[in-house]
Amino acid sequence: MTTTDIPRPADAGSGRAVSKKRPRGAATGGLRQAVSATTLLWILACLYGLPVLWFILSSLKPASDLFSYPLTLVPHNPTLSGFKAAWSSANFSQYFINTTIVCVITTILTVGVSCCTGYALAKYDNKWLKVFFLCILATTMLPSEVMLAPEFLVVRDLGLYNSFAGIILPAVLTATGCFMFRQFFLTVPDELVEAARIDGAKELSIFLRIMVPLSRPIMLTLAILSFQWRWNDYIWPLLMLNDPNKFTVQIGIQSIVGAQNINWSVLLGASVISMIPLIAVFLVFQRYVMGADINAGLKD
């Protein structure tokens, strides 16, 4: 046996090193995919953000500069006169209080009712519950304008016309909220519920102490959506309210619009003011919308 037949340690090490190398094409392809996805997201963000930016910057322009040619994005002489005129021309403080009362109460009731309904639809095996769920989903196929007339007649006959209760009660049960909670509770293992029942927990205790804490991300998500829906609602409060002291923000903004002319500077300022609570609610609660560990307490 000659010396050339003995494997060299260096050669073996180099072979292992070669085998550990990653293909250059795979790394380049992954980088290309990441860059392309990031670029696409930035393009979409700019497309959605540019009209909003134009809207906010236009609210800082004097009325004479809004339609000046050529159009400019950045105001040359920024002013807050539109905001001051909007706040003083209407009873905005009362509108904000009324809308806040309606939004907070409706959001709490919507989250609670949707959570109970979704849990029953997901964890109880009954054919009539399935039929009921299909009926709830069927309501999403109807335009909201179709439901206005019968809802108005029912609320009027109940004596709730021109009251906050007439705005709140019809908006409590939403098909979207029931669907969100049902789909979430379906992902919760049935073994978790069965283990609680074996330990002697009652159904109400299981729901309040196990299911409700697990569904916190869905609750916060629906709370944000519900608050936004009720804050931006215009048609239903317009039909239900005739007392100016009970008007909501959106009706107050509409009252700024004149019959013959529109003061766009005041209208833009009022619209930006109405956006502030929505942005604040989203910034406060979006950090809590995170994934929940639905397998907590279970053993493999």
Side-chain angles (χ1 to χ4, degrees):
M1 183 175 181
T2 61
T3 56
T4 56
D5 297 331
I6 301 176
R8 297 180 179 178
D11 295 337
S14 61
R16 288 193 300 270
V18 171
S19 62
K20 293 181 180 179
K21 290 183 178 180
R22 297 179 60 185
R24 183 178 301 177
T28 306
L31 180 61
R32 187 183 298 111
Q33 292 178 358
V35 171
S36 61
T38 303
T39 304
L40 179 61
L41 290 177
W42 273 108
I43 294 175
L44 291 176
C46 293
L47 291 177
Y48 280 97
L50 183 60
V52 178
L53 180 62
W54 191 301
F55 166 69
I56 295 176
L57 293 178
S58 296
S59 65
L60 299 175
K61 295 180 180 179
S64 58
D65 295 345
L66 286 174
F67 300 100
S68 61
Y69 187 81
L71 296 176
T72 58
L73 178 63
V74 180
H76 296 295
N77 300 311
T79 179
L80 297 178
S81 60
F83 296 91
K84 296 178 181 178
W87 190 265
S88 59
S89 62
N91 192 8
F92 257 90
S93 59
Q94 185 63 43
Y95 297 158
F96 266 78
I97 294 174
N98 297 338
T99 312
T100 302
I101 293 174
V102 172
C103 291
V104 171
I105 297 177
T106 306
T107 299
I108 295 175
L109 293 178
T110 299
V111 172
V113 172
S114 299
C115 185
C116 296
T117 307
Y119 174 72
L121 294 174
K123 293 304 178 183
Y124 291 102
D125 188 12
N126 190 299
K127 63 178 181 180
W128 296 112
L129 286 177
K130 297 179 181 179
V131 174
F132 179 64
F133 177 64
L134 293 177
C135 293
I136 294 177
L137 289 183
T139 60
T140 62
M141 304 178 188
L142 297 175
S144 58
E145 291 78 7
V146 177
M147 305 296 293
L148 288 178
E151 285 184 359
F152 177 80
L153 294 177
V154 172
V155 172
R156 185 199 62 183
D157 294 341
L158 291 175
L160 301 178
Y161 179 73
N162 195 29
S163 65
F164 291 152
I167 304 176
I168 294 171
L169 293 180
V172 169
L173 183 61
T174 62
T176 303
C178 297
F179 180 78
M180 291 172 58
F181 275 100
R182 177 184 179 272
Q183 296 305 115
F184 175 79
F185 285 132
L186 286 176
T187 62
V188 178
D190 293 335
E191 291 82 359
L192 184 61
V193 180
E194 295 298 331
R197 289 172 179 167
I198 292 174
D199 290 340
K202 303 297 182 181
E203 293 298 323
L204 184 60
S205 178
I206 294 174
F207 174 71
L208 294 178
R209 300 180 62 181
I210 298 177
M211 293 300 174
V212 171
L214 287 178
S215 62
R216 186 176 117 174
I218 306 299
M219 296 175 67
L220 294 176
T221 303
L222 181 60
I224 295 174
L225 294 176
S226 178
F227 190 91
Q228 177 185 358
W229 295 336
R230 302 288 76 83
W231 189 274
N232 291 327
D233 196 5
Y234 170 71
I235 297 296
W236 185 246
L238 182 64
L239 292 176
M240 290 303 302
L241 302 175
N242 60 7
D243 186 0
N245 293 324
K246 297 181 180 180
F247 281 173
T248 58
V249 169
Q250 303 305 325
I251 303 178
I253 294 176
Q254 188 273 338
S255 64
I256 298 176
V257 180
Q260 301 296 330
N261 57 354
I262 301 175
N263 191 336
W264 289 102
S265 178
V266 177
L267 182 61
L268 290 174
S271 301
V272 172
I273 292 174
S274 68
M275 292 171 52
I276 295 176
L278 296 179
I279 297 175
V281 169
F282 178 77
L283 293 178
V284 170
F285 289 103
Q286 62 93 20
R287 57 180 294 188
Y288 299 104
V289 180
M290 62 187 70
D293 185 11
I294 62 176
N295 293 319
L298 292 181
K299 296 182 179 180
D300 295 335

